[in-house]
Amino acid sequence: MRVLITGAAGFIGSHLCERFLNEGHEVIGLDNFITGRPENIAHLFENPNFTFIRYDVTNFLYVEGKVDLVLHFACPASPVDYMNHPIHTMKVNSVGTLNTLGLAKEKGSRYVFASSSEVYGNPEVHPQPETYWGKVNPIGPRSVYDEAKRFSEALTMAYHRQHGLDVRIVRIFNTYGPRMRRDDGRVIPTFIIQALRGEDLTVHGDGTQTRSFCYVDDLVEGIYRVAVTEGLEGEVFNLGNPEEHTILDLAKMVIEITKSSSGIKFVERRKDDPDRRKPDITKAKKLLGWEPKVNLREGLERTVEWFRRTLRGGP
Ligand code: UDP
């Protein structure tokens, strides 16, 4: 297949490029480096099946030749990043989604949209199945991301219904692993870096809020299956690890794994921070035969190892 991946230099995008190349496909990667980084894909440049184009997909998009599959993964994804780039976050999930859907229609490509567990907002249903409609504050600080992802989902389904486009939506829950930016503000890189530097870990609120963390290799396997499995037109899938932890437990686990002397500092909680989040992955298990294999401790050990190496200046 000839595959177009937007957000190719991002955390998940770069792992996806690698996966599709390893499966023998040709990959065209796009990124404007707002939050993605060239070093995430530098090792792919010598692969003759990989083409990279520095491009902002909120501009008109055209690609020569056939395109079998479009994966729209461009978007600042950490709360700190999307609150720093609120308008761009909304543009890439509206104009960017429109442009990539338009390209998929023109080329007759299959289309996969990277949505988010944020479409469920601060959920009243736990765990969250795909059939839950969510509870989102439309004007809160997170709305630039939540509402834009919801708009993109609606637009994706409109192309499916009006033009018969073969679309699939993945709702990605908290994911972590190598290639996250040290300063992206998300909880796992923040805690690991604080622990490795011997600084106190900044737990927001009392740390009783929960998240369910998925190791990136597991997530990429799920996305790959959504992209290549036949007969999933118009389907939406939760992809994440249902192993749920409080943020305070996560902090303690990071301190233990890094053998750090750091303590824990309780700081102010972010506005509209969801209290609980855990995917119901029954549908993905049934239709994709997929479930995560890496538990939090094992994934954190691998991730800590990677951050240690990069702090020493390694690849
Ligand atoms: N969090 C924290 N300390 C930090 C960063 C985040 O306690 O330094 C908390 C945050 O308030 C939230 C959870 O960790 O409850 C996950 O935050 P993250 O930014 O990783 O992503 P979110 O799941 O909120 O999109």
Side-chain angles (χ1 to χ4, degrees):
M1 284 193 292
R2 195 155 182 258
V3 185
L4 182 86
I5 302 180
T6 74
F11 162 50
I12 294 174
S14 62
H15 286 280
L16 268 182
C17 289
E18 216 166 71
R19 176 64 190 266
F20 276 90
L21 289 167
N22 286 343
E23 298 284 343
H25 303 294
E26 191 182 332
V27 172
I28 307 161
L30 303 184
D31 208 295
N32 63 355
F33 298 131
I34 277 198
T35 54
R37 293 180 304 170
E39 51 267 45
N40 286 344
I41 47 168
H43 63 294
L44 303 178
F45 285 143
E46 61 199 31
N47 188 324
N49 282 330
F50 184 63
T51 308
F52 179 76
I53 306 168
R54 183 174 185 165
Y55 199 71
D56 181 337
V57 289
T58 64
N59 297 310
F60 178 78
L61 186 62
Y62 185 73
V63 174
E64 289 284 342
K66 71 160 191 164
V67 177
D68 302 294
L69 172 67
V70 174
L71 297 137
H72 184 34
F73 275 68
C75 181
S78 94
V80 169
D81 284 343
Y82 63 67
M83 289 179 210
N84 280 338
H85 302 283
I87 294 170
H88 231 85
T89 298
M90 298 203 80
K91 279 175 80 175
V92 76
N93 286 306
S94 52
V95 182
T97 307
L98 190 68
N99 289 342
T100 49
L101 280 164
L103 182 85
K105 173 171 168 268
E106 165 71 22
K107 303 282 183 184
S109 332
R110 182 175 285 173
Y111 186 88
V112 178
F113 177 67
S115 187
S116 165
S117 55
E118 283 285 327
V119 300
Y120 301 124
N122 192 6
E124 296 152 304
V125 172
H126 193 79
Q128 296 81 54
E130 290 87 350
T131 46
Y132 176 49
W133 291 356
K135 183 187 169 218
V136 171
N137 174 357
I139 55 165
R142 298 176 87 104
S143 64
V144 296
Y145 187 78
D146 302 8
E147 294 291 12
K149 288 292 183 193
R150 289 170 71 98
F151 174 85
S152 280
E153 287 200 11
L155 194 60
T156 301
M157 290 308 290
Y159 268 73
H160 173 60
R161 294 192 181 107
Q162 186 169 349
H163 298 302
L165 203 70
D166 177 356
V167 305
R168 291 104 195 265
I169 293 169
V170 289
R171 293 186 181 146
I172 301 171
F173 284 66
N174 293 67
T175 301
Y176 68 100
R179 301 199 193 129
M180 293 185 97
R181 285 196 345 263
R182 278 174 217 167
D183 63 347
D184 89 351
R186 279 184 279 202
V187 68
I188 288 185
T190 305
F191 283 179
I192 291 177
I193 292 295
Q194 287 168 335
L196 292 178
R197 290 183 174 150
E199 297 162 6
D200 288 347
L201 275 61
T202 49
V203 168
H204 296 174
D206 60 7
T208 55
Q209 68 272 33
T210 70
R211 292 295 188 273
S212 309
F213 297 99
C214 187
Y215 189 67
V216 65
D217 290 358
D218 282 333
L219 181 84
V220 165
E221 178 62 35
I223 296 167
Y224 190 77
R225 290 189 192 197
V226 169
V228 302
T229 305
E230 295 304 321
L232 299 180
E233 292 86 345
E235 295 290 347
V236 50
F237 289 94
N238 283 339
L239 294 180
N241 190 327
E243 187 189 327
E244 185 183 8
H245 293 267
T246 67
I247 295 303
L248 187 56
D249 279 348
L250 172 73
K252 289 177 183 162
M253 207 188 282
V254 169
I255 290 174
E256 195 189 313
I257 289 171
T258 52
K259 302 187 177 63
S260 170
S261 58
S262 296
I264 288 173
K265 182 164 80 179
F266 294 93
V267 302
E268 198 184 336
R269 184 129 173 237
R270 289 178 188 145
K271 186 172 182 311
D272 292 347
D273 183 20
D275 299 319
R276 300 183 77 183
R277 191 185 280 157
K278 169 179 168 163
D280 178 332
I281 58 165
T282 310
K283 184 173 174 184
K285 274 187 188 167
K286 197 164 142 216
L287 295 188
L288 308 169
W290 173 85
E291 65 183 310
K293 297 201 162 43
V294 183
N295 68 29
L296 184 59
R297 178 167 294 274
E298 192 184 336
L300 280 177
E301 281 167 2
R302 292 189 206 175
T303 308
V304 164
E305 202 36 56
W306 182 82
F307 273 107
R308 268 194 214 280
R309 251 200 349 261
T310 58
L311 278 181
R312 284 193 225 110

